[in-house]
Amino acid sequence: EWIEKYSEKLSVMQPNKELIDFMNAEILYVNSGVLRATFKNYLLYRKASKELIIGLNKAEKRANALTSQRVLQSKVLSRGELSRLLNEVEDLQIRAIISCLFDTACRRHELMSAKWGDVQFRDPIRHMDDIDAGLHASISVMGKGKKAREVYLGKTSVELLKMLYNGQKKEERIFILIKKDGTLYADQDDTLYKKIVKIGDNILEHHLHPHAFRHTALTDLFNQGAELMSVSAYAGHSSVSITQIYVKVSSYKGKQVFKNFHKEVNDGR
């Protein structure tokens, strides 16, 4: 089917960079892996060089990135949906987890592994600038590859954490999901996932998972013009190529990325 559509155009073109540019543009336009495979077979038939075929492979990677970005965008929560969750979720601990997942852009295991001793609350006097900007606490989390990083908490998250605090020791985990009989769930991460899915069905009436808050936070930072390297470090990504789905290069750095956006979000909660 594809080869018939392009046969006339291809027949008058030589297997060179111009042909590859044409093929790449068509692959990106129709976003078809089948078309890419058809073009590759055609190049092999025309005995094109290995370098030209590699050039065609680059189009596939770019198309996959664009597809990933469209899929990601469909999972990003709106401001209204975030507000509904923070207002309508009755369980205090789950509400705090949701707020912290959004503020920190953490993976669920990173947040569920955090201990009270990892949290550093900002002093209203010594850290007045941070407080004014909406940065009320920081938390050290352990990411993939056992790499520690610092992420930040806004006013709402800190208020919820203080409501949860009841003299726990520094080495105790902040969030512990407990059954009605008082025993711990064996798999805390999986239990959180199931609870978030249920909340999404009941409140938002669509599928929701813990990673959606990470998607939302990083995508919002992207929309605010956050710098690629800064957000990549904040997210704990192993490569900036992963972050490119979310962010573009700009002049924002470090804490300022968090301050500019999260102050607005926390003020609106």
Side-chain angles (χ1 to χ4, degrees):
E1 177 186 352
W2 286 116
I3 201 63
E4 291 179 3
K5 178 179 179 180
Y6 291 99
S7 59
E8 183 177 352
K9 178 73 175 179
L10 296 176
S11 65
V12 297
M13 299 183 72
Q14 295 300 314
N16 52 26
K17 186 178 182 301
E18 182 183 355
L19 175 60
I20 295 301
D21 289 342
F22 167 75
M23 289 179 168
N24 284 343
E26 291 300 306
I27 291 170
L28 290 174
Y29 178 74
V30 301
N31 190 26
S32 172
V34 175
L35 179 58
R36 179 202 163 274
T38 301
F39 281 160
K40 182 179 180 180
N41 288 334
Y42 179 80
L43 290 172
L44 292 172
Y45 169 74
R46 294 286 299 271
K47 297 182 180 179
S49 68
K50 183 178 180 181
E51 289 73 19
L52 287 178
I53 296 176
I54 290 174
L56 188 65
N57 289 337
K58 291 180 180 179
E60 180 187 30
K61 293 179 180 179
R62 187 177 174 193
N64 288 340
L66 291 172
T67 301
S68 297
Q69 190 167 355
R70 283 194 290 270
V71 172
L72 176 64
Q73 188 62 42
S74 70
K75 298 179 180 179
V76 171
L77 299 170
S78 68
R79 297 290 181 90
E81 288 175 323
L82 281 170
S83 295
R84 285 191 62 190
L85 292 172
L86 291 171
N87 290 325
E88 296 181 31
V89 172
E90 296 181 359
D91 187 302
L92 174 62
Q93 182 169 219
I94 297 300
R95 197 160 72 247
I97 290 173
I98 288 174
S99 184
C100 289
L101 282 173
F102 172 69
D103 277 353
T104 64
C106 279
R107 304 173 181 93
R108 71 175 184 267
H109 180 71
E110 294 171 346
L111 186 64
M112 295 301 287
S113 299
K115 299 176 175 61
W116 284 102
D118 297 325
V119 182
Q120 296 294 323
F121 294 101
R122 294 297 192 266
D123 182 271
I125 298 177
R126 291 191 299 115
H127 304 109
M128 188 178 298
D129 289 343
D130 282 353
I131 296 294
D132 287 344
L135 197 164
H136 290 251
S138 62
I139 179 170
S140 177
V141 296
M142 188 65 67
K144 290 184 177 180
K146 295 184 178 180
K147 294 181 179 179
R149 70 182 189 280
E150 188 178 46
V151 291
Y152 306 110
L153 300 173
K155 181 179 179 181
T156 299
S157 294
V158 169
E159 288 175 347
L160 292 169
L161 287 184
K162 289 182 176 180
M163 292 171 69
L164 286 175
Y165 184 71
N166 190 29
Q168 294 94 325
K169 297 179 180 179
K170 289 185 176 181
E171 61 271 19
E172 291 187 63
R173 290 191 178 188
I174 301 170
F175 302 112
I176 302 176
L177 302 177
I178 303 174
K179 299 178 183 178
K180 291 181 179 181
D181 63 6
T183 60
L184 301 182
Y185 284 100
D187 191 329
Q188 294 279 302
D189 291 356
D190 183 62
T191 300
L192 175 62
Y193 181 90
K194 291 176 179 177
K195 287 181 178 291
I196 295 296
V197 168
K198 187 175 181 180
I199 286 170
D201 291 339
N202 293 339
I203 296 179
L204 302 181
E205 298 182 349
H206 65 67
H207 182 67
L208 179 67
H209 54 84
H211 219 65
F213 301 103
R214 178 174 169 86
H215 291 327
T216 302
L218 297 180
T219 301
D220 277 329
L221 291 175
F222 166 82
N223 291 334
Q224 292 292 316
E227 184 186 17
L228 176 63
M229 296 300 293
S230 296
V231 179
S232 183
Y234 191 76
H237 284 152
S238 59
S239 170
V240 294
S241 62
I242 301 173
T243 320
Q244 285 174 338
I245 300 174
Y246 301 95
V247 298
K248 62 184 179 182
V249 176
S250 78
S251 60
Y252 293 98
K253 295 182 181 294
K255 290 181 183 179
Q256 198 62 39
V257 170
F258 179 91
K259 291 178 179 180
N260 289 352
F261 175 68
H262 284 73
K263 183 178 188 299
E264 177 184 348
V265 172
N266 280 284
D267 287 348
R269 288 180 181 171

